[in-house]
Amino acid sequence: VTFVALSAQLALSVEQAKENEDIPGTANGSPAVPEAGAAPESESPESGQTGTLSDVSPEELAKAGEAAAKARFDREKDAEERRAFREAKAKQEAEEAASREAELRKTPVTYGSVIVLRHTPTDKLLAGTNFKYFHPHASNQHQVVAVDQEDSYTHWRVTPRAGQRWELVKDVPVKNGDVIRLNNM
């Protein structure tokens, strides 16, 4: 029984070492190769005697090999299940995002609404900055840039054209062709 446990440990150790390309107790990380016909030696913990794996029955060695193969199969199966879970989760999140976007498309934009503008081809968001245009003929308004992540600078309030107060037309849908202003929040 001790030899079976040791051979299973040996099979797992060699397999793990191959994955790491380093086997402890060998010179320069390269495995020690027994001479042809020589059986690997192991020590029995109970007796302190040294024996060879050739003293173990073929059935016990087969069981140890099966145990090592099952452990490897279980690790591969776990990795595959984790990968499938991540893919399913990503698919579900994409479907939920598409559903939210479809619902938003049904909702009309109204004066006073706070919106986020996305450039579809690059997936960037329109954002205001704290920096003003400073060249001689500039409007002295703040610069606008495209960013990757949503933050407070990517929120814009929809207001009517200059001279009208948005509070007076709040919640009135914006019609196609209306002139609007966007105020950075």
Side-chain angles (χ1 to χ4, degrees):
V1 175
T2 302
F3 285 112
V4 171
L6 288 174
S7 64
Q9 276 184 320
L10 178 64
L12 287 174
S13 297
V14 169
E15 182 178 312
Q16 290 167 348
K18 284 181 184 175
E19 290 174 3
N20 296 334
E21 296 183 7
D22 182 26
I23 297 179
T26 61
N28 299 327
S30 60
V33 179
E35 302 215 6
E41 290 191 5
S42 61
E43 186 172 312
S44 171
E46 293 97 23
S47 65
Q49 297 174 350
T50 301
T52 62
L53 290 179
S54 62
D55 295 338
V56 179
S57 72
E59 293 84 19
E60 291 173 329
L61 283 176
K63 286 180 184 178
E66 288 173 10
K70 183 180 181 329
R72 184 174 58 250
F73 174 78
D74 290 344
R75 282 194 309 274
E76 290 171 358
K77 184 178 177 186
D78 289 345
E80 185 177 316
E81 287 174 353
R82 287 192 302 273
R83 186 174 32 260
F85 176 78
R86 283 192 304 268
E87 289 172 0
K89 186 176 179 182
K91 182 179 178 182
Q92 179 184 8
E93 288 173 354
E95 288 171 355
E96 288 172 357
S99 174
R100 281 192 306 272
E101 186 173 327
E103 189 62 34
L104 286 174
R105 289 185 185 278
K106 294 177 189 175
T107 307
V109 175
T110 60
Y111 289 105
S113 296
V114 175
I115 62 172
V116 174
L117 298 172
R118 181 179 308 276
H119 183 247
T120 306
T122 61
D123 207 32
K124 302 269 186 186
L125 304 173
L126 184 70
T129 67
N130 288 330
F131 303 106
K132 293 185 177 186
Y133 289 102
F134 55 87
H135 57 82
H137 303 289
S139 63
N140 205 29
Q141 292 184 345
H142 290 263
Q143 295 178 13
V144 176
V145 296
V147 296
D148 292 319
Q149 294 183 349
E150 185 175 335
D151 62 14
S152 62
Y153 294 109
T154 60
H155 296 170
W156 300 86
R157 183 176 304 278
V158 178
T159 59
R161 66 176 174 222
Q164 293 181 326
R165 294 176 49 115
W166 70 268
E167 293 90 352
L168 299 176
V169 289
K170 183 177 182 194
D171 298 329
V172 174
V174 176
K175 291 183 230 144
N176 189 18
D178 283 357
V179 176
I180 64 169
R181 293 182 78 158
L182 297 174
N183 296 327
N184 193 226
M185 302 298 292

